[in-house]
Amino acid sequence: MSIAHIAAKMIEISRGDLHDIEHFLKVHAYARLIGQLEGLQPDCQLILEAAALLHDIACPLCRQTYGNANGKHQEQLGMPLAREFLAEFELPAEAVDRIVFLVGHHHTLTGVDGPDYQILLEADYLVNASESGYPPANLRHAQQALFRTQSGLALLRSVYGCGD
């Protein structure tokens, strides 16, 4: 099993939805970069990268079921979808459980219990800020309230010109 195989399978099941594909690939790229810069252990890095690729796995189902991709619906519907998706990959049960947990909490900003969780939140925010055109006030708020890693903060400042 490799991250490349997970990415390829996610692209396949996305059925040409370019927005979804580009989103999870960009989140993965930021998550990978931040994780490497923060010096994550290889097992934690793998979990982070897999979760970044899978974090929005429920978006198509949410849009079909609810007419939108509300974050709480994504978390709820995403957990079983992520577990089912990961069944074909040879991952330790603990890794699968953690990936599923992260998919099920990637819109929950409280109770962050590890660097993989924190980095996933930061990476997703970096991409969402661009895709949604967040105004400077939102970026400044996120800088204070969300970002905790030095690498994530540096990227936020570099990409969006946020000051201290």
Side-chain angles (χ1 to χ4, degrees):
M1 189 294 303
S2 72
I3 292 299
H5 289 103
I6 291 174
K9 182 70 175 179
M10 276 298 295
I11 291 169
E12 179 186 326
I13 70 168
S14 294
R15 297 187 177 118
D17 186 323
L18 193 56
H19 174 268
D20 284 358
I21 293 166
E22 289 180 343
H23 176 81
F24 69 71
L25 289 175
K26 288 186 281 186
V27 172
H28 170 259
Y30 276 124
R32 182 174 192 267
L33 178 60
I34 296 168
Q36 289 178 342
L37 291 171
E38 293 294 314
L40 292 188
Q41 294 298 313
D43 58 334
C44 189
Q45 183 76 27
L46 180 127
I47 288 167
L48 168 63
E49 290 188 39
L53 290 166
L54 295 175
H55 78 283
D56 279 351
I57 193 170
C59 282
L61 180 59
C62 288
R63 289 189 291 265
Q64 178 184 356
T65 305
Y66 303 107
N68 63 61
N70 172 280
K72 289 302 163 190
H73 292 305
Q74 287 180 42
E75 290 180 336
Q76 182 181 35
L77 298 178
M79 292 178 74
L81 291 174
R83 188 170 299 282
E84 180 182 336
F85 178 95
L86 292 168
E88 75 178 71
F89 298 95
E90 295 179 12
L91 287 170
E94 309 82 45
V96 171
D97 290 345
R98 184 63 178 174
I99 295 164
V100 169
F101 173 84
L102 293 172
V103 169
H105 292 82
H106 77 277
H107 283 282
T108 302
L109 306 182
T110 58
V112 176
D113 65 354
D116 50 359
Y117 190 166
Q118 181 61 43
I119 293 168
L120 179 60
L121 293 173
E122 292 177 10
D124 197 27
Y125 187 90
L126 287 166
V127 176
N128 286 333
S130 171
E131 291 176 351
S132 298
Y134 291 170
N138 290 41
L139 298 169
R140 285 189 301 276
H141 176 73
Q143 181 178 0
Q144 297 298 316
L146 172 63
F147 282 76
R148 298 285 176 264
T149 70
Q150 290 303 309
S151 304
L153 279 165
L155 285 168
L156 181 70
R157 290 175 181 137
S158 295
V159 172
Y160 296 104
C162 296
D164 287 322

